[in-house]
Structure formats: structure tokens, C-alpha cells
Amino acid sequence: MFSIIHSCRMSNCEHRKLITLSMSSIYIDNLIGGKVDISDRKFISFPVDTPLSNLTILASQYGLLLMCIQGPSDQLILWNPTTNKFLNLCHNKPKSFFDIKEDAVGIYLDSFNDVKILHPQRRMDDVVPRVYSQNTHQWKTLTFFKGPDYASRSYLWSPGTLCNNVLYFASPHYWAPAKSYMIAFDVVSETFSKVSIPQCTHAVARQSKPML
């Protein structure tokens, strides 16, 4: 089961929502005063015909959910659960365009009020960052640092977290916590920088699944 807080962009949406994805259903509850109100629970259907067990929520921003349909070729889906409209961002792309085990994603809004999807694609010791524009429906390629470590499988990139016009991607190292770092993406200039993670000598970092 996976739950995520969802802020609706519709003018008639007065409360924040909690969307829960389980093995058998997807449902929405209101969040009122920081508490979950199940009295008006609404069950919704995912617009793509696929088992719910294949779905993973990658990111949420501006009332939109970025979903992955896992399979022989992973599909990246931008979904508005309020209107139930969706967009397959992998349409007419090679089968290897998105890989949930290797790539990262983030959602941001540029200065022209255009919702954009950042997709750092990690392949063959290179990171190729691509940005999708909801206004133009086009992908463009950005530049990134050179170096094999950025695409190494020893690192696991997190989905992007947006804060003060910067998307942050944590990149923990599986076996050597001291080598971990964060990638910061400035959504205004659309440029990347590397941020060091403060080290703590009294703790041991481990990779684990979140408790939901």
C-alpha cells in the first residue's frame, strides 16, 4: 500500500487529498485539519488498463501524479486523478526510454507557468537529462556533468523533491555512505550542481524500503 498527499489545482477543491494505492484499489480521502476524513472516501480507477500491482507513484506536484507502469518496458505516465486525464510520456519512444531502476524524475513549474517533467536518464556511465514541456508536448535535452560515478549502479537516485525552485535528488551510495551526494537542479536556470551530504560518524547508513 502506498499513500501520498495530493494538492488539487481545481478552484472548487477546498481540501488537500490523500491518495492511497493498494493492490486492489485506488481511493481518495480528504485531509481536514491535518486529519484523514474517510467519511467522503472516493474510489477511482486508473485510466490505463493494467494490474494495480504494476503501478508505482514516483512524484506528485500541482495536482498531478507521475506514475510508472512496471513491465518489460517501463511506462512513465503523467496523470491528473481529479479529471482522470493522463499522458504516456513514453509514447513513440524506444523501449529503454525510461527505467525505474536506473532513472529519476521530478515535476516543476517554470517562470511561464509551464508544468515540466525532468527525467535524468542514466545509461552507459552517462546521465542524459531530458525535460518535457506540458505546453509544447516536446522533450529537450540538457547538459550534465561528466563522470562514470553519476550513472553508476552503486548509487540509487531518489525522485526529485522541490524546494525553493530547486529539485533535489538524493544519491546515496549502497556500500560507502561517505561517497553519497545530492544533485540540485535549479528550475529557473535549468542547470545542475552537486551538493555534499554532511557525514555523521556515529551512524551507519543503510538502504531500506520505507514503512507505509
Side-chain angles (χ1 to χ4, degrees), residues 97-134:
F97 181 74
F98 179 72
D99 186 338
I100 192 173
K101 296 179 181 178
E102 301 290 342
D103 302 345
V105 291
I107 307 176
Y108 66 96
L109 197 69
D110 71 7
S111 57
F112 299 99
N113 209 36
D114 183 10
V115 174
K116 291 187 172 180
I117 309 300
L118 177 63
H119 170 210
Q121 187 184 61
R122 303 197 302 160
R123 301 287 187 278
M124 301 294 293
D125 292 335
D126 284 321
V127 176
V128 180
R130 308 180 193 277
V131 173
Y132 180 85
S133 164
Q134 193 177 39

Side-chain angles (χ1 to χ4, degrees), residues 18-33:
L18 182 71
I19 296 182
T20 300
L21 169 64
S22 72
M23 297 290 288
S24 59
S25 62
I26 305 174
Y27 53 89
I28 302 177
D29 295 313
N30 289 324
L31 282 177
I32 302 176

Side-chain angles (χ1 to χ4, degrees), residues 83-108:
T83 64
N84 213 30
K85 293 182 178 180
F86 75 99
L87 182 65
N88 188 339
L89 299 176
C90 295
H91 181 63
N92 289 333
K93 295 295 182 183
K95 290 184 177 181
S96 60
F97 181 74
F98 179 72
D99 186 338
I100 192 173
K101 296 179 181 178
E102 301 290 342
D103 302 345
V105 291
I107 307 176
Y108 66 96

Side-chain angles (χ1 to χ4, degrees), residues 131-151:
V131 173
Y132 180 85
S133 164
Q134 193 177 39
N135 285 350
T136 66
H137 305 290
Q138 299 291 325
W139 288 93
K140 70 176 181 180
T141 303
L142 305 178
T143 57
F144 195 77
F145 319 121
K146 295 296 182 182
D149 281 353
Y150 297 113

Side-chain angles (χ1 to χ4, degrees), residues 8-14:
C8 183
R9 297 186 77 186
M10 305 293 287
S11 59
N12 61 351
C13 185
E14 299 179 355

